[in-house]
Amino acid sequence: MKKIVVAGAGGFIGGHLTKALKAMGHQVRAVDIKPLTKWYQIIPGVENFVLDLKMKENCIQALNGYEEVFNLAADMGGMGFIETHKADCMLSVLINTHLLMAARGLGIQRYFYASSACVYNGDKQTDPNNPGLKESDAYPALAEDGYGWEKLFSERMCRHFKEDYGLVTRVARFHNVYGPFGTYDGGREKAPAAICRKVIGNELHNQKEITIWGDGNQTRSFMYIDDCVKGILAIMYSNIEEPINLGSSEMVSINQLVDYVEEIAGHKLIREYDLGAPKGVRGRNSENTLIKQYLGWEPSITLKDGLLKTYDWIKEEMIKNTGKDPKKVVFND
């Protein structure tokens, strides 16, 4: 049994990771800035702290007496959020900086940092037929403005704390994680959840229109949450010292993503395209040669399988949150 802190445990990925660590028999301290009523999951038997980890003294309090840290804490969301909240995203640098300082001072044995594919050079993501982003494609640096630059800088902080102070650090670059217990409305949701929400709303109201951000030809890969948690744990306890991709290599266009959700719903829609909406890079995919070399594994849950579970969960939540009357379900574009 290890004594492990999960920073950002009140969020989507953090909640799933906390649940997995507790099920493995570890003593877990869960930390998040949100009030407990806003946490995505509350895991029984876990010690929960509500703390703003941008403050150094709170990081010391969170880590004191523990051995390992998973840092998933950040102010972030989907493209609609990160393109309009660049300063807020940049301020997350304080979380990682102060957690690293606390980890060094308190003798933490191992430290995981959740980075993002947004660190990659934008000039390498202009073609929808992206062959896959290799880890070396982060340099020369031209990261996503705001959020991506913060992630890239924080990766460097982990590297130099390892080099200068001997802190064992591991860094994974997440590629679009989705699944149950994730955000599906409010502006911070990722594309799979947003599309599910829109299709479910149309299905329940017997409506036929859906608005898609951009022309729908932009491409991405999407990793189901179970693969993400498995990858986090494998990378944390590996000998991988450099930042590494953690994402599916199954690339689809946003139009294909809508096709898949329509197929699940059995509900065909008329598509309208908002070319002025936030849409990010034209093509992004995870090149998984390195993770396969290190671990003999890569994320393998298909998008169709993961979407089915995600769709069912979001539909249940949408109905539950409106008094179980589908006619009262509120949805937006």
Side-chain angles (χ1 to χ4, degrees):
M1 183 187 73
K2 298 178 180 179
K3 299 177 70 175
I4 300 173
V5 175
V6 179
F12 166 47
I13 302 174
H16 281 278
L17 177 62
T18 300
K19 185 176 182 179
L21 290 168
K22 181 60 180 175
M24 293 166 67
H26 298 304
Q27 180 178 335
V28 183
R29 176 177 288 168
V31 187
D32 205 282
I33 191 173
K34 295 184 290 292
L36 282 172
T37 55
K38 300 293 185 181
W39 286 30
Y40 291 36
Q41 297 187 70
I42 302 290
I43 310 303
V46 169
E47 182 181 26
N48 300 315
F49 280 18
V50 176
L51 295 170
D52 181 357
L53 295 176
K54 292 190 294 293
M55 310 296 291
K56 182 181 176 183
E57 58 270 25
N58 289 344
C59 292
I60 295 171
Q61 180 183 351
L63 271 53
N64 191 30
Y66 276 64
E67 301 165 346
E68 298 181 351
V69 178
F70 289 85
N71 178 16
L72 289 82
D75 197 357
M76 60 83 67
M79 194 55 60
F81 179 82
I82 67 176
E83 284 199 3
T84 56
H85 295 77
K86 294 175 182 176
D88 289 336
C89 290
M90 290 294 289
L91 285 172
S92 295
V93 73
L94 295 173
I95 299 172
N96 192 57
T97 301
H98 289 145
L99 280 174
L100 283 170
M101 294 173 70
R104 178 198 173 200
L106 293 169
I108 292 294
Q109 298 170 9
R110 195 169 282 258
Y111 185 100
F112 176 92
Y113 178 66
S115 187
S116 166
C118 288
V119 303
Y120 284 114
N121 187 314
D123 286 346
K124 297 181 181 291
Q125 302 174 77
T126 59
D127 184 356
N129 298 311
N130 192 299
L133 293 162
K134 303 184 298 294
E135 284 77 4
S136 59
D137 289 335
Y139 297 94
L142 186 60
E144 185 85 42
D145 199 12
Y147 178 71
W149 279 105
E150 186 278 320
K151 288 295 186 184
L152 192 60
F153 177 84
S154 291
E155 285 188 8
R156 304 292 293 195
M157 287 284 289
C158 290
R159 170 182 170 176
H160 296 312
F161 266 69
K162 172 176 64 71
E163 293 171 341
D164 293 356
Y165 306 127
L167 176 63
V168 176
T169 60
R170 298 290 181 260
V171 176
R173 293 172 178 164
F174 293 175
H175 288 249
N176 289 310
V177 188
Y178 73 99
F181 294 96
T183 301
Y184 61 87
D185 62 4
R188 292 179 182 255
E189 66 275 15
K190 301 290 184 70
I195 297 300
C196 285
R197 185 198 73 240
K198 293 178 182 184
V199 173
I200 291 165
N202 278 291
E203 177 192 3
L204 295 176
H205 290 271
N206 197 29
Q207 296 180 357
K208 296 293 184 181
E209 294 81 27
I210 185 171
T211 299
I212 297 172
W213 288 4
D215 61 10
N217 294 318
Q218 61 270 39
T219 53
R220 297 289 186 275
S221 63
F222 301 99
M223 174 174 52
Y224 190 64
I225 183 62
D226 290 0
D227 271 339
C228 181
V229 171
K230 183 175 181 178
I232 289 171
L233 294 170
I235 292 167
M236 176 63 147
Y237 300 110
S238 73
N239 62 351
I240 305 172
E241 295 189 347
E242 68 266 40
I244 192 166
N245 279 333
L246 181 54
S248 170
S249 59
E250 181 190 359
M251 187 174 70
V252 298
S253 70
I254 299 302
N255 279 325
Q256 288 175 298
L257 176 62
V258 177
D259 289 342
Y260 289 172
V261 180
E262 286 178 336
E263 182 181 332
I264 292 170
H267 192 72
K268 195 70 175 175
L269 300 172
I270 299 169
R271 302 180 188 188
E272 299 178 353
Y273 295 92
D274 184 354
L275 301 183
K279 45 192 174 288
V281 296
R282 287 296 288 168
R284 176 180 292 160
N285 190 24
S286 182
E287 210 288 329
N288 287 345
T289 298
L290 196 59
I291 194 169
K292 287 189 289 185
Q293 287 177 350
Y294 274 116
L295 302 178
W297 173 88
E298 66 174 320
S300 60
I301 297 172
T302 66
L303 181 56
K304 283 188 175 181
D305 287 345
L307 276 175
L308 178 59
K309 297 176 183 178
T310 305
Y311 182 94
D312 288 344
W313 180 82
I314 292 176
K315 185 174 182 179
E316 181 179 342
E317 288 295 299
M318 289 176 68
I319 293 173
K320 179 178 67 178
N321 292 337
T322 53
K324 304 187 184 301
D325 183 355
K327 295 181 180 179
K328 293 181 181 179
V329 172
V330 177
F331 71 100
N332 57 70
D333 289 327

